[in-house]
Amino acid sequence: MDPVHALRDASATPFWLDDPGRPQAASALVADTRCDLLVVGGGYSGLWTALIAKERDPSRDIVLIEGEEIGWAASGRNGGFCESSLTHGLGNGLDRWPDELSELERLGTQNLQAIEDTIKSYGIDCDWERTGSLNVATEPYQVDELHELAALAARYGSEQTVLDADQVRAEISSPTFLGALWDEEGTAMLNPARLAWGLKQACLDIGVRIHEHTRATAIAEADPGITVRTPYGRILANRVALATNAFPSLVRRHRLYTVPVYDYALMTEPLTDEQLASVGWHNRQGFSDVANQFHYVRLSADNRILWGGYDAVYHYRGRVRAEHDQRPETFATLARHFFRTFPQLEGLRFTHAWGGAIDTCTRFSAFFDTTHRGRVAFAAGFTGLGVGATRFGAEVMLDLLGGERTERTRLEMVRRKPLPFPPEPVRWAGIQATRWSLARADEDFGRRNLWLRTLDRLGLGFGS
C-alpha cells in the first residue's frame, strides 16, 4: 500500500492543540492601562518571562498580551522535546563559543532542572518524562560520527553511550538503525500545549494580568516609560520584554536577524499493544537521526508516534501565514520515511498532520538585545530548541532589563548578536542554496560542498 494512504483522514489541527482541555482564552484588552513590566507574546518565551519576573518580585505589576491565544503557535505545535542545550548542540556551541561552552552546558543543565522543578511546584500536568534521547545513525558513515560526538560530550561532562546496531534495535526496532548515541539525562519529553497552558495558569495564579486576542501594533518611548499600542488601547510600561520570536518584531532593526522556517509533523493513531511490542521502545526515549535533514520522533503519553522534521521550508520574504501550515508534499515524504523506518507498522494511520513557523538566525541559537535606553529587551532565534532554551532567554531578558551583571549577561553569547540575514532576493537564494547543499551532503557521505565550507569559514555553517 502506498504510505500516503495513511494520511487520508488526517486532521490539519496540530495534535497537541486538538485537546478538549484547552482553556478558555482570556479577555482582550479594551482600555488603556499601566504596568511595571509588559510582556509581548504568549508563547514559552513570554510566559517564562512573566512567571519568573513575578517570582523575583511579587509586588511587580505585570501584563502579558498575546495576539491570538496562549500557546497557539510554535509553543503548541512542536514535537515536545525539552533539551538542556542552549547552543543547538555541542558542535554548534564549540564552533561559536569554545571558551565558554563548559559554562553554557552547566547553565543548560541547570535550566532543564529548573523547568522540571517549576512543573512540579505548580502542579502542571504536561506528561513530563525525563527519558533522554537517541541520536541515530542510518548510514554507515554516520556511525563514526557517533563516537566523535560521544568523545566531545565527555569533554564537557556528559556521559553518553554509543550503541551498536543490535543495541539500538533492542531499544527501538528499525531495520534502518545502524547505531546510536544515547544521552540519558539531557532531554525530557512533554506535551507542549499543556506546558504552555500550565504556565498560563501559573502566571494567573500569582497575579500576572493576561490579555489574549490583543495584538501589539507599535512601540514608542513615552517618558517616563514605553508605550505599546494595541487595537483597542495603549499600555504604558516601565519596561517591556519582546517575546514574539518568529513573528515580526516591533523593533524594525531586529527583523534582519531572524527568518521564519516552516517545520512539519505527523501523529499516528495510538499503537496497539502488539504494534508497540513490535517496535520495543521500552525506555520511551525521543530520537532523531544524524543527517542534516533530520527527523525527530517520539512516543506520546497514549503511545502515538510523532514523526516530524526533514523538510525545513522558507517562503520568499519570510511571511508567516496560515496557508503555510499545510504542505501535502512534505506530509507525503514524511509518511514514506515513516514506513521505511517502521515497516512492521504497515496499516497504521496518521490522525494529524500540521506545520508551523520556527524562528531561526544565522547562528542557530538564541540572541538578545536591548533598545529604548535599556527599557526594552528582546530574545529570539531559538531555532527549534525553544521548549527549553526560552526559560534561559527569559532570565537573560529580565537581567538585562534590571541592568544586572550576572553570569548570564557576561556571556559572549548574550553580549554579541549574530550576523543579520541579507535582504531579498539574496536571502531567499542563499537559504535555498544551503538547503540543497545540505541534502546533497546527506547523499554524499556527509561531505560538505564549497558553499557549505564557505559558510563554515564565515561562521554561518550549521554545526549541530
Side-chain angles (χ1 to χ4, degrees), residues 377-397:
F378 174 83
F382 292 96
T383 317
L385 289 194
V387 180
T390 46
R391 186 194 175 280
F392 173 81
E395 295 221 77
V396 171
M397 282 199 288

Side-chain angles (χ1 to χ4, degrees), residues 8-35:
R8 62 187 180 274
D9 297 318
S11 168
T13 303
F15 170 76
W16 310 112
L17 298 176
D18 190 9
D19 186 334
R22 185 172 184 167
Q24 183 176 354
S27 298
L29 180 70
V30 292
D32 293 353
T33 191
R34 294 172 177 263
C35 60

Side-chain angles (χ1 to χ4, degrees), residues 306-432:
L306 183 145
W307 181 268
Y310 192 75
D311 277 346
V313 180
Y314 172 73
H315 295 277
Y316 189 69
R317 296 192 183 277
R319 293 187 177 97
V320 180
R321 291 179 171 173
E323 57 262 35
H324 297 331
D325 294 346
Q326 290 290 300
R327 195 167 191 265
E329 58 267 46
T330 291
F331 297 146
T333 296
L334 287 172
R336 293 186 178 104
H337 292 177
F338 177 90
F339 288 109
R340 185 184 309 153
T341 302
F342 296 123
Q344 67 270 45
L345 296 180
E346 183 179 358
L348 195 67
R349 296 182 307 111
F350 297 107
T351 60
H352 297 75
W354 73 94
I358 294 171
D359 64 320
T360 192
C361 64
T362 57
R363 72 186 193 193
F364 310 106
S365 55
F367 69 96
F368 309 90
D369 195 17
T370 58
T371 66
H372 298 78
R373 292 181 288 177
R375 294 175 180 174
V376 177
F378 174 83
F382 292 96
T383 317
L385 289 194
V387 180
T390 46
R391 186 194 175 280
F392 173 81
E395 295 221 77
V396 171
M397 282 199 288
L398 293 171
D399 291 349
L400 294 171
L401 289 173
E404 301 176 40
R405 185 168 174 79
T406 67
E407 62 180 350
R408 291 177 288 268
T409 61
R410 286 192 293 267
L411 292 167
E412 181 184 355
M413 178 189 185
V414 171
R415 292 185 291 105
R416 297 182 182 274
K417 292 190 288 296
L419 291 173
F421 287 96
E424 299 288 16
V426 177
R427 176 189 302 181
W428 185 87
I431 291 172
Q432 299 312 311

Side-chain angles (χ1 to χ4, degrees), residues 36-112:
D36 297 319
L37 172 66
L38 171 64
V39 180
V40 180
Y44 295 138
S45 187
L47 292 163
W48 281 117
T49 302
L51 183 67
I52 294 169
K54 195 70 172 175
E55 290 175 336
R56 289 186 181 186
D57 182 359
S59 68
R60 188 183 301 182
D61 183 20
I62 299 171
V63 171
L64 183 151
I65 60 172
E66 162 56 44
E68 296 289 338
E69 294 187 11
I70 295 296
W72 77 280
S75 297
R77 297 167 186 251
N78 63 78
F81 285 67
C82 188
E83 301 188 23
S84 63
S85 179
L86 304 176
T87 61
H88 215 291
L90 274 171
N92 195 50
L94 184 63
D95 287 345
R96 302 181 193 286
W97 305 287
D99 294 336
E100 60 187 32
L101 185 54
S102 293
E103 187 173 7
L104 286 165
E105 286 295 294
R106 176 182 60 82
L107 290 169
T109 298
Q110 291 177 355
N111 182 67
L112 182 62

